[in-house]
Amino acid sequence: MKQIVAHKKLSPLHGFLLVVGILAVLLIMNNLVLGVLTQAVGFTAANVTFWLIGALMALWVLRVYVVKYIYELGPDILRLNRAYGKRTRHIEDVYLSQLAFVGSPEEAKKRWPDAKRVRALHARSEEPVTAVVYKTAVGVRTALIQASPELKAKLVERLREK
Protein backbone atom coordinates (compact mmCIF):
# COMPACT_ATOMS: atom_id res chain seq x y z
CA MET A 1 0.00 0.00 0.00
CA LYS A 2 1.28 3.44 -0.91
CA GLN A 3 0.06 6.80 0.42
CA ILE A 4 1.24 10.20 -0.78
CA VAL A 5 0.70 13.21 1.47
CA ALA A 6 1.10 16.45 -0.49
CA HIS A 7 -0.40 19.84 -1.13
CA LYS A 8 -3.24 19.89 -3.64
CA LYS A 9 -1.99 20.59 -7.15
CA LEU A 10 -2.17 24.24 -8.09
CA SER A 11 -4.09 25.29 -11.14
CA PRO A 12 -2.00 27.12 -13.75
CA LEU A 13 -3.60 30.42 -12.72
CA HIS A 14 -2.86 29.87 -9.02
CA GLY A 15 0.72 28.85 -9.81
CA PHE A 16 1.22 31.95 -11.95
CA LEU A 17 -0.27 34.17 -9.23
CA LEU A 18 1.98 32.55 -6.62
CA VAL A 19 5.10 33.27 -8.69
CA VAL A 20 3.99 36.85 -9.42
CA GLY A 21 3.23 37.36 -5.71
CA ILE A 22 6.65 36.09 -4.67
CA LEU A 23 8.36 38.34 -7.21
CA ALA A 24 6.32 41.33 -6.00
CA VAL A 25 7.28 40.62 -2.38
CA LEU A 26 10.95 40.30 -3.36
CA LEU A 27 10.87 43.60 -5.27
CA ILE A 28 9.16 45.43 -2.42
CA MET A 29 11.52 43.83 0.05
CA ASN A 30 14.48 44.81 -2.12
CA ASN A 31 13.45 48.45 -2.05
CA LEU A 32 12.60 48.45 1.64
CA VAL A 33 15.52 46.42 2.92
CA LEU A 34 18.19 47.88 0.70
CA GLY A 35 16.73 51.40 0.83
CA VAL A 36 15.87 51.74 4.51
CA LEU A 37 18.33 49.34 6.10
CA THR A 38 21.29 50.52 4.06
CA GLN A 39 21.07 53.90 5.73
CA ALA A 40 20.57 52.36 9.18
CA VAL A 41 23.06 49.47 9.28
CA GLY A 42 25.07 49.65 6.07
CA PHE A 43 24.96 48.00 2.68
CA THR A 44 26.50 44.65 3.66
CA ALA A 45 24.14 43.99 6.57
CA ALA A 46 21.13 45.06 4.48
CA ASN A 47 22.22 42.80 1.62
CA VAL A 48 22.66 39.82 3.96
CA THR A 49 19.20 40.52 5.46
CA PHE A 50 17.66 40.60 1.98
CA TRP A 51 19.19 37.26 1.00
CA LEU A 52 18.25 35.70 4.35
CA ILE A 53 14.61 36.72 3.97
CA GLY A 54 14.63 35.47 0.35
CA ALA A 55 16.04 32.10 1.45
CA LEU A 56 13.38 31.77 4.17
CA MET A 57 10.67 32.50 1.59
CA ALA A 58 12.12 29.84 -0.71
CA LEU A 59 12.11 27.29 2.13
CA TRP A 60 8.49 28.17 2.91
CA VAL A 61 7.44 27.67 -0.71
CA LEU A 62 9.30 24.34 -0.82
CA ARG A 63 7.74 23.13 2.41
CA VAL A 64 4.18 24.12 1.52
CA TYR A 65 3.92 23.61 -2.24
CA VAL A 66 6.72 21.30 -3.41
CA VAL A 67 7.54 18.70 -0.74
CA LYS A 68 5.47 15.55 -0.41
CA TYR A 69 5.74 12.54 1.84
CA ILE A 70 5.38 8.98 0.64
CA TYR A 71 4.46 6.17 3.02
CA GLU A 72 4.93 2.68 1.56
CA LEU A 73 3.59 -0.26 3.55
CA GLY A 74 5.04 -3.60 2.54
CA PRO A 75 4.53 -7.03 4.08
CA ASP A 76 7.11 -6.42 6.82
CA ILE A 77 8.16 -2.77 6.56
CA LEU A 78 6.78 0.79 6.55
CA ARG A 79 9.08 2.98 4.47
CA LEU A 80 8.95 6.75 4.92
CA ASN A 81 10.25 8.98 2.12
CA ARG A 82 10.31 12.70 1.38
CA ALA A 83 10.12 13.90 -2.22
CA TYR A 84 10.95 17.26 -3.72
CA GLY A 85 9.40 17.10 -7.16
CA LYS A 86 10.64 13.81 -8.59
CA ARG A 87 13.62 13.40 -6.25
CA THR A 88 12.86 11.00 -3.42
CA ARG A 89 14.87 10.97 -0.21
CA HIS A 90 14.68 8.15 2.31
CA ILE A 91 13.71 9.17 5.85
CA GLU A 92 13.21 5.98 7.87
CA ASP A 93 12.31 2.30 7.70
CA VAL A 94 9.92 0.98 10.35
CA TYR A 95 10.03 -2.80 10.64
CA LEU A 96 6.56 -4.03 11.52
CA SER A 97 7.95 -6.81 13.71
CA GLN A 98 9.29 -4.07 16.02
CA LEU A 99 6.03 -2.11 16.41
CA ALA A 100 5.15 -1.14 19.97
CA PHE A 101 2.29 1.35 19.54
CA VAL A 102 0.08 3.01 16.91
CA GLY A 103 -2.09 5.91 18.03
CA SER A 104 -2.11 9.54 19.10
CA PRO A 105 1.16 11.47 19.52
CA GLU A 106 0.10 12.61 23.01
CA GLU A 107 -0.32 9.02 24.23
CA ALA A 108 2.99 8.00 22.65
CA LYS A 109 4.78 10.95 24.27
CA LYS A 110 3.25 10.05 27.63
CA ARG A 111 4.31 6.40 27.42
CA TRP A 112 7.73 6.96 25.78
CA PRO A 113 8.85 10.50 26.69
CA ASP A 114 12.50 9.97 25.71
CA ALA A 115 11.84 8.36 22.32
CA LYS A 116 13.53 10.05 19.37
CA ARG A 117 10.92 11.50 17.00
CA VAL A 118 11.06 11.11 13.25
CA ARG A 119 8.73 13.56 11.50
CA ALA A 120 7.19 12.86 8.11
CA LEU A 121 4.44 15.48 8.27
CA HIS A 122 3.22 17.78 5.52
CA ALA A 123 2.67 21.37 6.57
CA ARG A 124 -0.84 21.75 5.14
CA SER A 125 -2.34 18.26 5.21
CA GLU A 126 -5.74 17.75 6.79
CA GLU A 127 -4.99 14.16 7.81
CA PRO A 128 -4.60 13.73 11.59
CA VAL A 129 -1.15 12.93 12.95
CA THR A 130 -0.51 9.31 13.91
CA ALA A 131 2.37 8.19 16.11
CA VAL A 132 4.03 4.89 15.23
CA VAL A 133 6.30 3.75 18.05
CA TYR A 134 8.85 1.04 17.28
CA LYS A 135 11.92 -0.47 18.88
CA THR A 136 15.35 -0.36 17.27
CA ALA A 137 18.83 -1.46 18.29
CA VAL A 138 19.55 2.06 19.56
CA GLY A 139 16.29 2.45 21.50
CA VAL A 140 12.67 3.39 21.02
CA ARG A 141 11.67 5.77 18.21
CA THR A 142 8.44 7.47 17.26
CA ALA A 143 7.54 8.12 13.65
CA LEU A 144 4.96 10.88 13.25
CA ILE A 145 2.97 10.41 10.05
CA GLN A 146 -0.34 11.52 8.58
CA ALA A 147 -1.72 8.10 7.81
CA SER A 148 -4.98 7.60 5.98
CA PRO A 149 -7.63 5.58 7.87
CA GLU A 150 -6.79 2.53 5.71
CA LEU A 151 -3.06 2.72 6.41
CA LYS A 152 -3.65 3.30 10.12
CA ALA A 153 -6.03 0.32 10.27
CA LYS A 154 -3.42 -1.92 8.61
CA LEU A 155 -0.76 -0.78 11.08
CA VAL A 156 -3.07 -1.40 14.05
CA GLU A 157 -3.97 -4.83 12.65
CA ARG A 158 -0.28 -5.68 12.24
CA LEU A 159 0.39 -4.55 15.82
CA ARG A 160 -2.39 -6.81 17.15
CA GLU A 161 -0.95 -9.80 15.24
CA LYS A 162 2.27 -9.50 17.27
Side-chain angles (χ1 to χ4, degrees), residues 24 65 87 96 107 113 130 145 151 154 160:
Y65 293 103
R87 299 190 119 176
L96 300 180
E107 181 68 26
T130 301
I145 62 174
L151 179 60
K154 287 188 179 193
R160 287 186 183 148

Side-chain angles (χ1 to χ4, degrees), residues 78-142:
L78 172 64
R79 179 161 283 174
L80 308 176
N81 295 311
R82 176 185 304 117
Y84 294 99
K86 295 182 181 180
R87 299 190 119 176
T88 303
R89 301 280 187 242
H90 177 69
I91 299 174
E92 187 81 12
D93 283 335
V94 178
Y95 293 96
L96 300 180
S97 62
Q98 298 172 334
L99 281 180
F101 175 78
V102 176
S104 73
E106 295 80 20
E107 181 68 26
K109 180 84 172 166
K110 194 184 307 178
R111 291 173 65 181
W112 294 277
D114 297 330
K116 180 182 175 193
R117 293 180 142 202
V118 177
R119 296 173 49 94
L121 304 172
H122 192 273
R124 301 256 174 137
S125 177
E126 291 143 11
E127 292 284 346
V129 177
T130 301
V132 179
V133 180
Y134 55 101
K135 297 174 183 174
T136 66
V138 293
V140 177
R141 290 187 177 204
T142 302

